[in-house]
Amino acid sequence: GENVEQHPSTLSVQEGDSAVIKCTYSDSASNYFPWYKQELGKRPQLIIDIRSNVGEKKDQRIAVTLNKTAKHFSLHITETQPEDSAVYFCAPSNYGGSQGNLIFGKGTKLSVKP
Amino acid sequence: EAGVTQFPSHSVIEKGQTVTLRCDPISGHDNLYWYRRVMGKEIKFLLHFVKESKQDESGMPNNRFLAERTGGTYSTLKVQPAELEDSGVYFCASSLTENTEAFFGQGTRLTVV
C-alpha cells in the first residue's frame, strides 16, 4: 500500500513569509496529488491539486510542484496571512487504479504569526 | 447546492453502547467515502462505496464497524459495541466519479467514555 509522509509536522512562520510543506509517497502508480486544508473544527477542503502529467500548478498565493521521479510533491504558500493557519494534508492517490480513495499524510500544522 | 452533510455533529456514548453515524452525500455523487481521524493522527480511510456497493472496505478496523448505503443515497456507519479507542472524528466524503474532487462533510466527533 501507499506510504505517505509529510514534513515538517509543524511549521511556524511570520506573516508575509513563505511556507513550504513536502509530501513523499511510495506508490509509483500514484497519479493524483491534492492538498487539503483543515481549519480548526472544520472539514478538510481541497485547496489545490495536480495530476501526473503536470509539474507545477499555481493559484494565486498557493502552488504545488511535483517530482514524480523522486516521488514527492510540495505545497508552497507565499505572502502568508493569519488565515492560512490550519492543518494541511497531502493525499496522493491512484485514480482509476485499485485505489480510488485518498491516502492522507499525517498533516502539517501551519501557524502564521501576525 | 447542498454539500456533504453528516449527523450528528457530536456524539458522546458509553463504552459498549451502539452509535450510528449518517452521511448524506452531494446529490448525484456515486462515490462515497468514510474516513476517521483518531487522537490527532492522520486521516485514515475506512471504506468506499460506489452507489450501494462496497468498492473497498480494506480500512475498516474490525467487525464492530458496519457501513451501509442502501439505495445508493445516504450512508450509515454503525459502531457496535463502541470502545474507547473508537473516539475521534469521522468524516464522510463524496465525489461524482473516482477521478473528480472529493468533497468532505463537517465530520462527526465521537467520544466514547
Side-chain angles (χ1 to χ4, degrees), chain A residues 30-112:
Chain A
S30 293
N31 55 18
Y32 177 64
F33 308 94
W35 283 97
Y36 283 81
K37 174 184 180 182
Q38 187 181 17
E39 296 175 71
L40 191 63
K42 296 187 178 181
R43 72 190 75 194
Q45 287 194 296
L46 178 71
I47 55 170
I48 196 166
D49 59 6
I50 197 169
R51 298 188 187 270
S52 59
N53 58 343
V54 178
E56 182 175 355
K57 183 176 178 181
K58 192 173 182 181
D59 182 4
Q60 298 182 336
R61 295 186 299 107
I62 59 172
V64 55
T65 56
L66 171 64
N67 185 330
K68 281 213 80 178
T69 303
K71 289 190 274 189
H72 65 73
F73 62 111
S74 298
L75 175 68
H76 304 255
I77 306 174
T78 58
E79 299 171 34
T80 53
Q81 300 168 5
E83 52 265 36
D84 294 330
S85 296
V87 179
Y88 291 82
F89 295 93
C90 63
S93 64
N94 176 12
Y95 273 144
S98 59
Q99 282 187 328
N101 60 77
L102 303 170
I103 305 298
F104 287 85
K106 291 187 177 181
T108 296
K109 184 176 181 180
L110 173 64
S111 300
V112 180

Side-chain angles (χ1 to χ4, degrees), chain A residues 36 38 42-44 46 51 87 89 95-96 100-102 104-106, chain B residues 4 33 35 37 42-43 45 56 91 98-102 104-106:
Chain A
Y36 283 81
Q38 187 181 17
K42 296 187 178 181
R43 72 190 75 194
L46 178 71
R51 298 188 187 270
V87 179
F89 295 93
Y95 273 144
N101 60 77
L102 303 170
F104 287 85
K106 291 187 177 181
Chain B
V4 178
Y33 308 86
Y35 292 85
R37 189 179 182 198
E42 68 266 38
I43 301 173
F45 166 78
D56 181 354
F91 289 103
E98 282 194 15
N99 296 312
T100 53
E101 178 186 351
F104 281 80
Q106 286 279 74

